[in-house]
Amino acid sequence: MKKTDFFDRLVAFSESFLTRRKQKSLRAKMKQQKRHPVVDWIYAILWAACVVLVINQYLFQAYRIPSGSMEKTLLVGDMIFVDKLSYGPELLPGVLKTPGVSKPERGKIIIFENPSYLSRGPLYTIFQQMLYMVTFTLVDIDREPTGEPRVHYLIKRAIGVGGDTIHVVNGEVYIKPRGSSEFMSEKSLMQGLGLAVKTQRLVSQSEYAEITNVGIASAYSELNLAFPASLGTPSVQSANKDAFHYDMSRVTTLRDADPSEARNAQIALRYENGWYIADSRVFPMGDNRDNSRDARYFGPVAEKKVLGHALFIYFPFSRMGSIR
């Protein structure tokens, strides 16, 4: 075959290919022109939602603070970005977490799966998140039978890490790190490590005697015993000030009355001895210590359930900035 024949065929092939490509492009444009503008908007919204879903799943998740458990570090309504790449994203929601470049560290504000959340499967989660975004957060199908939104993710600060023992006394946290023989206060440990201390307390130490008495009174009521007059008449409302301490008082009283009851004995032992944090687990707690349902209630969280750490607030603009 002559050289000129080869180039002639190459030119012919290129012209044919470019012609077909141009014709395909023109047909697509004509088809688009025939579409209703509303359909174009729907396509654009769906495409944008898909892109955001991918970014949320693998890189950075946008998260809105739903409660006051992290005040005053994070306020209700703050919108933040969470770094999901560092700890390794999940391939699908709740399915096979990939290795990350780092692990959750003490003092980091982390986002993790709510231990009490019952997943309906990754496909349901993807559909729910897609619908939530394309309706501009107006439609959320992931709700309780009562109509309340189900809490899928929690955001707290990692107070304890693998090897720690955590003990809570009158709402104050004490930590015995790996290799140490003594407990030290959370504040002194954090300050010694150069970490932020932003704990907010709403209950004063003088109120704990009343909370203790409410717990004892509740135990006496369960045992059908008369509450000792020497302890006065505790206000039931005091139990709400520190539900953890109230339950500690109630359960230890029940245990002392009947040590053979295994469940109360086990719970009371945990209250008295605290938690040992196994390797590959963290102990997250809210900065607003007296208004946070955290690891004191559901225990240490596996690192594989930690999805990322808080980076910065992007809205409202008046609070924009990095998070510590």
Side-chain angles (χ1 to χ4, degrees):
M1 184 175 62
K2 295 181 179 180
K3 191 174 182 179
T4 54
D5 291 342
F6 171 76
F7 282 111
D8 288 342
R9 290 183 181 183
L10 182 60
V11 170
F13 172 78
S14 300
E15 289 177 347
S16 175
F17 174 77
L18 293 174
T19 300
R20 289 197 301 270
R21 185 177 177 182
K22 186 67 174 178
Q23 289 173 342
K24 185 178 179 181
S25 176
L26 288 173
R27 286 196 297 269
K29 287 183 179 180
M30 292 178 65
K31 186 177 180 181
Q32 185 177 8
Q33 290 174 355
K34 292 179 181 179
R35 281 204 305 255
H36 195 281
V38 174
V39 176
D40 281 337
W41 272 103
I42 293 173
Y43 277 134
I45 292 171
L46 288 173
W47 174 250
C50 288
V51 172
V52 173
L53 272 177
V54 170
I55 294 174
N56 266 3
Q57 184 65 30
Y58 300 109
L59 299 175
F60 303 101
Q61 181 173 354
Y63 184 82
R64 183 180 183 276
I65 303 302
S67 71
S69 69
M70 285 298 293
E71 291 180 352
K72 300 178 179 176
T73 307
L74 296 170
L75 306 181
V76 175
D78 280 354
M79 301 184 77
I80 70 172
F81 279 126
V82 174
D83 171 16
K84 299 187 75 173
L85 196 59
S86 294
Y87 298 159
E90 297 172 317
L91 293 181
L92 289 173
V95 178
L96 191 60
K97 193 170 186 293
T98 59
V101 297
S102 62
K103 292 185 176 182
E105 300 173 344
R106 191 192 311 278
K108 287 285 189 180
I109 298 177
I110 58 175
I111 184 170
F112 55 96
E113 292 184 7
N114 181 358
S116 63
Y117 181 83
L118 297 176
S119 175
R120 294 170 179 169
L123 295 181
Y124 177 89
T125 301
I126 292 172
F127 176 74
Q128 178 262 332
Q129 291 178 353
M130 175 76 79
L131 185 61
Y132 186 71
M133 284 188 288
V134 299
T135 59
F136 302 101
T137 73
L138 295 176
V139 178
D140 186 359
I141 59 174
D142 194 17
R143 294 181 174 273
E144 302 285 358
T146 58
E148 292 294 318
R150 298 205 307 155
V151 181
H152 192 169
Y153 305 108
L154 299 176
I155 186 164
K156 311 288 180 185
R157 191 182 296 276
I159 299 302
V161 295
D164 288 350
T165 301
I166 306 286
H167 195 206
V168 180
V169 180
N170 288 358
E172 296 295 330
V173 177
Y174 296 87
I175 304 171
K176 182 170 70 174
R178 188 196 301 273
S180 174
S181 59
E182 301 291 335
F183 281 94
M184 60 182 72
S185 70
E186 173 192 354
K187 182 177 180 179
S188 62
L189 176 61
M190 292 293 193
Q191 287 179 336
L193 295 173
L195 300 174
V197 180
K198 296 189 175 182
T199 304
Q200 175 178 282
R201 295 300 312 276
L202 303 175
V203 183
S204 66
Q205 291 298 306
S206 62
E207 295 178 274
Y208 275 92
E210 179 83 358
I211 299 171
T212 299
N213 286 344
V214 176
I216 296 172
S218 178
Y220 270 69
S221 177
E222 292 181 46
L223 295 168
N224 293 317
L225 297 174
F227 185 67
S230 60
L231 297 178
T233 306
S235 170
V236 177
Q237 297 301 320
S238 296
N240 297 326
K241 293 181 178 180
D242 190 330
F244 176 81
H245 185 84
Y246 156 77
D247 196 57
M248 179 191 298
S249 174
R250 182 187 69 84
V251 171
T252 52
T253 302
L254 290 173
R255 187 275 313 273
D256 293 342
D258 183 10
S260 65
E261 210 290 310
R263 184 174 180 276
N264 287 333
Q266 183 180 16
I267 297 174
L269 189 65
R270 185 195 69 193
Y271 283 146
E272 292 172 343
N273 295 341
W275 297 262
Y276 173 74
I277 315 302
D279 289 336
S280 299
R281 290 184 175 270
V282 293
F283 197 88
M285 299 183 72
D287 283 355
N288 191 5
R289 199 52 53 83
D290 302 314
N291 185 27
S292 173
R293 190 162 186 85
D294 47 40
R296 288 171 292 181
Y297 300 92
F298 48 71
V301 173
E303 288 180 355
K304 65 182 181 181
K305 294 296 183 181
V306 179
L307 305 179
H309 67 87
L311 281 179
F312 64 89
I313 301 170
Y314 67 88
F315 189 83
F317 299 127
S318 59
R319 288 181 45 76
M320 184 181 293
S322 60
I323 302 170
R324 293 186 64 232

